[in-house]
Amino acid sequence: MSDDHVYLSLAQGPDAGADEGDARWAFGTGFEDPLHGVDTAVPAGLDTAALAARCLALADDALVSAQRLTEWTTRAPELEEEVALANIALDLLGQARLLYARCGQTDGTGRGEDAYAYFRDAADFRNVRLAELPNGDFAFTIVRLLVLSSWRLAELQRLTASPDPVLAAVAAKGIKELAYHRQYAAEWALRLGDGTEESHRRMRAALDAVAPYLDELFAACDVREEVTAVLAQVTEAAGLPPLEGAALPGAGREGTHTAHLAPLLAELQSVARAHPEAAW
Amino acid sequence: MTTTESGAPPAPGGTGPADLQERFEATIARDQRVEPRDWMPDGYRRTLIRQIAQHAHSEIIGMQPEAAWITRAPSLRRKAILLAKVQDEAGHGLYLYSAAETLGVDRAELNDRLLEGRQKYSSIFNYPTLTFADVGVIGWFVDGAAICNQVPLCRSSYGPYARAMVRVCKEESFHQRQGYELLRTMTRGTKAQREMVQDAVNRWWWPSLMMFGPPDENSPNSAQSMAWKIKRHSNDELRQRFVDMTVPQAEALGVTLPDPELRWNEERGRYDFGTPDFDELVRVIKGEGPCNAERMERRRTAHEEGAWVREAAAAHAAKQASRSKRGMAA
Amino acid sequence: MSDTTTPRGDWPLYEVFVRGKRGLNHVHVGSLHAADDRMALTHARDLYTRRNEGVSIWVVRSDLITASTREERDPFFDPSADKVYRHPTFYDIPDDVPHI
């Protein structure tokens, strides 16, 4: 019987010849290591403390954003969006892991990625506060994603020229991902802004909720001009007002957080901290 | 594929009901695939819609027990693996809905049938996930059982279903392996981890055996489905295969399967095992399992809360279409 | 196009074709729902190329595909079945003739 062995039998049967089947099915082949061929030795003369801090901040943004996106799982407005949101979260999770690893190589502690993610408290996290706010509705998630991906894309584009070859490689990988996230968010912003009265109203509310957190982003990385231009282009096309509002004092980059980060981390870290000696 | 028929008049000859039935039977007998636009008996179509829809619903509802642990996964590597796995389940649900739609039923209708309780999903997803070890055991048992069920379906007589299953099975082999790998790591870890694994094995073993459905003598639709080659093996045969496949894996892992009757039968060359509590299976299918209400509520809420988003996208598309029409007229 | 605006906001069905790698045809991989063409394309990317499967994607509204009917199958396809002279193996060429 051809299906006695579950894996081998996939290649058998009247019309599922292995080679022909693969070509016909457009199955994926091969994966690339984003750091393939990159020298991970820290170049001499580099300010390693500054480099480590940069990696940590970018990793924290990515991890906290990914955590919020994963909360959509089984709750998305349509099944296709489940898949789309998970893809974005997986990209960000991947970036976080590479950046934490680089942080461990440059801050002198030699820690691994999980030490940063699971065994630091909220006050030690350096993510921007916008990333940690609760998901709200789909409109808020889209506006936040639009803002964060536009901003991060601009920063990573600059970092492709980083003197650290690892950070430059992570940035080069990241800009392709971020360009897609921004496009996904921009298309949805357009649909929701121009959709129904309700969706338009929700988008306005989301813009108001996000606006106070904008200044903090540009204080962390001065890409205000190009990001503002991108955001204005999207809101205008969507028939929405520009993102404006009084800035909220404080900055996640300096360890100031909203009340939402601690519960997010408590959940993220709960199993790892309950079993500190365990291997997973 | 759901498409528009060309407006050509029917060709003469050979299209009477008896001819159609005969051609259909011959296709099945030759082990060829039935394709969406072929004539097929109503019963065949109905059975397929029911089976594929239930399978699709199972993938979608089946996301929930594991999704509960994504935010708490204890390492970033495990978090990425689990998220990718649960995402695959959404994908598999979509492949299967896509196959069902070739039979002339739309996904919105199938979703309504699920939410109204008129179509079922696999009983296994009505059990709770209590610790992170459950993630591993679900991968090992539930995906293992799913593979036993699904691999033969790659040769199902209905083309779109068989093709969807080829894709699903290709992708799912990673699901079982990640589960087993997690358990292997955990059993080599702390004492607490080993206890978590054994506890999860104890809770999931019998429900996993129930996944194959009632015993053959109580499975009224099976014979017809096998004659139509929609199903290729009986429930009991698949259950036996699963046990035979899993026992050596349990030994390698160093866990005990909670069945005192489990032993190798030299004569049969297979394992003997105890009888699952099929009354429990009936109760869980009827909606009285530990998590039925919770699972349906989550799915219903997501669908209802997403309505404004789906409507907004449809409204925007309609506006765009009428704008471009006006643009062309100008 | 009126079915894109059903009150429930159900999105129309699209068929998806993926070119697995350079040198291959696009192949039909399945279908999905989307509100507009652009969304269909991104959904196809997210759903059908999660494992590095594609270098190019086509999407088309299912109701825009015109397909041959089952009644047309015999008149469409049987007439080509006996034209064996269209296949290269029909012709006997001595083994010692090169490049043919």
Side-chain angles (χ1 to χ4, degrees):
Chain A
M1 188 88 265
S2 61
D3 43 351
D4 274 346
H5 190 289
V6 290
Y7 303 119
L8 284 181
S9 64
L10 288 177
Q12 296 169 359
D15 45 17
D19 299 334
E20 180 260 348
D22 278 8
R24 191 188 59 183
W25 282 98
F27 283 124
T29 49
F31 290 86
E32 284 169 21
D33 175 3
L35 297 182
H36 178 73
V38 177
D39 184 1
T40 56
V42 183
L46 222 60
D47 179 352
T48 50
L51 174 61
R54 193 95 185 253
C55 289
L56 186 71
L58 285 167
D60 285 348
D61 286 340
L63 175 62
V64 172
S65 298
Q67 181 77 357
R68 286 297 185 209
L69 285 168
T70 63
E71 290 173 8
W72 274 103
T73 310
T74 72
R75 294 179 171 90
E78 184 54 288
L79 297 175
E80 279 86 353
E81 304 311 325
E82 291 278 353
V83 182
L85 293 166
N87 270 344
I88 296 173
L90 284 168
D91 286 345
L92 292 170
L93 209 46
Q95 292 179 19
R97 295 178 62 189
L98 292 168
L99 289 161
Y100 283 137
R102 190 53 171 167
C103 191
Q105 290 161 359
T106 51
D107 70 0
T109 64
R111 281 180 286 180
E113 57 185 42
D114 289 336
Y116 293 98
Y118 292 94
F119 295 95
R120 285 182 306 142
D121 294 331
D124 303 322
F125 270 71
R126 288 294 176 268
N127 59 285
V128 293
R129 288 172 297 175
L130 182 55
E132 74 205 31
L133 299 179
N135 278 335
D137 62 5
F138 192 66
F140 180 84
T141 290
I142 288 300
V143 172
R144 168 164 58 187
L145 183 63
L146 176 66
V147 169
L148 286 180
S149 59
S150 303
W151 169 68
R152 190 173 175 88
L153 177 59
E155 178 162 10
L156 292 192
Q157 274 164 343
R158 283 165 173 68
L159 288 174
T160 55
S162 167
D164 177 39
V166 174
L167 184 53
V170 173
K173 172 181 185 284
I175 56 176
K176 294 178 210 156
E177 297 169 342
L178 267 305
Y180 186 81
H181 305 172
R182 186 179 70 173
Q183 182 189 328
Y184 172 86
E187 285 171 9
W188 264 113
L190 202 59
R191 290 185 194 108
L192 297 179
D194 180 56
T196 60
E197 265 178 46
E198 180 178 11
S199 68
H200 185 85
R201 176 179 59 73
R202 286 175 182 262
M203 282 299 281
R204 279 177 176 262
L207 291 169
D208 289 344
V210 166
Y213 297 92
L214 266 184
D215 266 15
E216 181 185 339
L217 307 186
F218 302 130
C221 177
D222 187 14
V223 288
R224 183 188 296 270
E225 207 170 312
E226 67 182 273
V227 172
T228 309
V230 168
L231 298 178
Q233 196 189 341
V234 175
T235 48
E236 194 190 327
L240 292 163
L243 262 161
E244 280 171 353
L248 202 69
R253 285 283 190 266
E254 286 150 23
T256 307
H257 290 286
T258 66
H260 304 294
L261 181 62
L264 176 149
L265 292 177
E267 182 174 350
L268 187 149
Q269 299 169 338
S270 55
V271 178
R273 289 197 177 196
H275 302 273
E277 306 298 318
W280 304 98
Chain B
M1 196 187 292
T2 313
T3 52
T4 312
E5 299 242 337
S6 79
T15 54
D19 298 313
L20 294 171
Q21 180 79 32
E22 196 179 317
R23 206 181 296 171
F24 172 82
E25 304 282 356
T27 303
I28 301 279
R30 283 197 304 267
D31 232 343
Q32 286 185 327
R33 299 289 173 268
V34 176
E35 293 296 344
R37 305 165 68 74
D38 294 345
W39 182 88
M40 59 188 86
D42 286 343
Y44 179 84
R45 187 184 298 272
R46 268 198 314 275
T47 303
L48 271 172
I49 289 175
R50 195 188 63 230
Q51 183 175 332
I52 301 174
Q54 288 185 3
H55 198 158
H57 299 330
S58 300
E59 295 283 357
I60 299 305
I61 298 294
M63 296 166 69
Q64 292 183 28
E66 291 170 285
W69 289 91
I70 296 173
T71 55
R72 293 176 284 172
S75 76
L76 295 182
R77 176 171 172 270
R78 290 289 168 202
K79 190 190 279 288
I81 291 170
L82 186 56
L83 177 56
K85 187 197 170 204
V86 173
Q87 180 200 39
D88 270 353
E89 283 157 9
H92 296 171
L94 287 169
Y95 303 160
L96 286 159
Y97 283 127
S98 161
E101 287 190 281
T102 63
L103 291 159
V105 56
D106 69 21
R107 194 169 95 198
E109 164 68 19
L110 297 177
N111 191 55
D112 287 348
R113 289 188 204 171
L114 169 68
L115 294 179
E116 289 159 14
R118 289 188 289 140
Q119 279 178 342
K120 307 294 184 196
Y121 55 88
S122 178
S123 56
I124 193 80
F125 303 117
N126 290 315
Y127 292 87
T129 42
L130 302 181
T131 73
F132 197 72
D134 290 32
V135 168
V137 172
I138 287 178
W140 178 29
F141 285 172
V142 177
D143 291 290
I147 290 174
C148 283
N149 263 329
Q150 289 170 357
V151 166
L153 294 177
C154 297
R155 296 185 296 120
S156 166
S157 61
Y158 187 57
Y161 190 29
R163 290 190 288 273
M165 292 319 302
V166 170
R167 208 177 172 92
V168 168
C169 287
K170 272 258 183 191
E171 298 186 354
E172 221 149 65
S173 55
F174 124 67
H175 294 183
Q176 193 195 14
R177 292 172 71 100
Q178 65 83 32
Y180 195 77
E181 186 220 35
L182 169 61
L183 298 176
R184 240 171 86 85
T185 311
M186 288 183 71
T187 51
R188 292 163 172 190
T190 64
K191 180 163 172 288
Q193 284 184 296
R194 276 191 293 282
E195 286 167 2
M196 276 164 77
V197 172
Q198 184 61 55
D199 170 63
V201 165
N202 294 347
R203 285 183 287 109
W204 288 94
W205 174 249
W206 291 109
S208 300
L209 290 187
M210 293 175 204
M211 275 180 77
F212 296 94
D216 292 346
E217 65 265 26
N218 298 336
S219 182
N221 300 322
S222 283
Q224 179 62 71
S225 287
M226 284 174 66
W228 277 331
K229 298 183 183 172
I230 294 174
K231 262 181 89 152
R232 311 288 311 218
H233 303 287
S234 77
N235 295 351
D236 286 333
E237 168 58 20
L238 290 167
R239 193 166 9 245
Q240 177 74 57
R241 283 184 187 210
F242 173 72
V243 172
D244 292 344
M245 185 175 94
T246 307
V247 173
Q249 295 168 353
E251 283 165 7
L253 205 55
V255 298
T256 308
L257 298 174
D259 179 358
E261 295 175 49
L262 188 67
R263 65 180 55 84
W264 177 250
N265 182 324
E266 195 64 53
E267 206 173 303
R268 291 201 305 133
R270 315 194 87 168
Y271 286 91
D272 291 337
F273 57 99
T275 307
D277 179 357
F278 287 114
D279 293 338
E280 176 178 323
L281 175 64
V282 171
R283 285 197 303 277
V284 175
I285 288 176
K286 267 172 42 194
E288 295 160 26
C291 301
N292 296 60
E294 184 185 333
R295 303 287 185 240
M296 292 302 284
E297 185 53 29
R298 169 70 65 83
R299 182 74 198 106
R300 185 176 295 112
T301 306
H303 190 69
E304 284 169 3
E305 289 184 352
W308 72 269
V309 177
R310 297 191 300 275
E311 281 161 17
H316 169 69
K319 285 187 197 174
Q320 287 289 82
S322 75
R323 279 179 205 132
S324 77
K325 215 176 281 170
R326 270 206 309 277
M328 271 188 280
Chain C
M1 300 292 264
S2 58
D3 55 345
T4 54
T5 55
T6 52
R8 326 169 23 135
D10 293 338
W11 297 341
L13 192 66
Y14 281 79
E15 301 299 328
V16 181
F17 302 80
V18 173
R19 186 198 295 287
K21 55 184 171 198
R22 293 178 172 283
L24 296 179
N25 285 320
H26 284 78
V27 290
H28 181 242
V29 292
S31 62
L32 49 75
H33 288 265
D36 55 59
D37 295 354
R38 190 67 219 164
M39 189 196 285
L41 209 51
T42 54
H43 282 167
R45 178 264 193 195
D46 285 322
L47 179 59
Y48 287 104
T49 67
R50 299 195 303 287
R51 286 175 169 75
N52 205 16
E53 289 97 333
V55 295
S56 163
I57 301 172
W58 292 344
V59 291
V60 60
R61 283 266 302 244
S62 305
D63 57 10
L64 296 180
I65 293 178
T66 305
S68 61
T69 66
R70 56 180 171 268
E71 289 81 11
E72 288 168 331
R73 188 166 62 191
D74 292 351
F76 263 50
F77 306 114
D78 281 2
S80 65
D82 66 347
K83 309 223 173 14
V84 61
Y85 45 81
R86 285 184 180 277
H87 296 271
T89 48
F90 180 71
Y91 302 95
D92 256 345
I93 305 287
D95 290 343
D96 53 2
V97 178
H99 306 307
I100 187 162

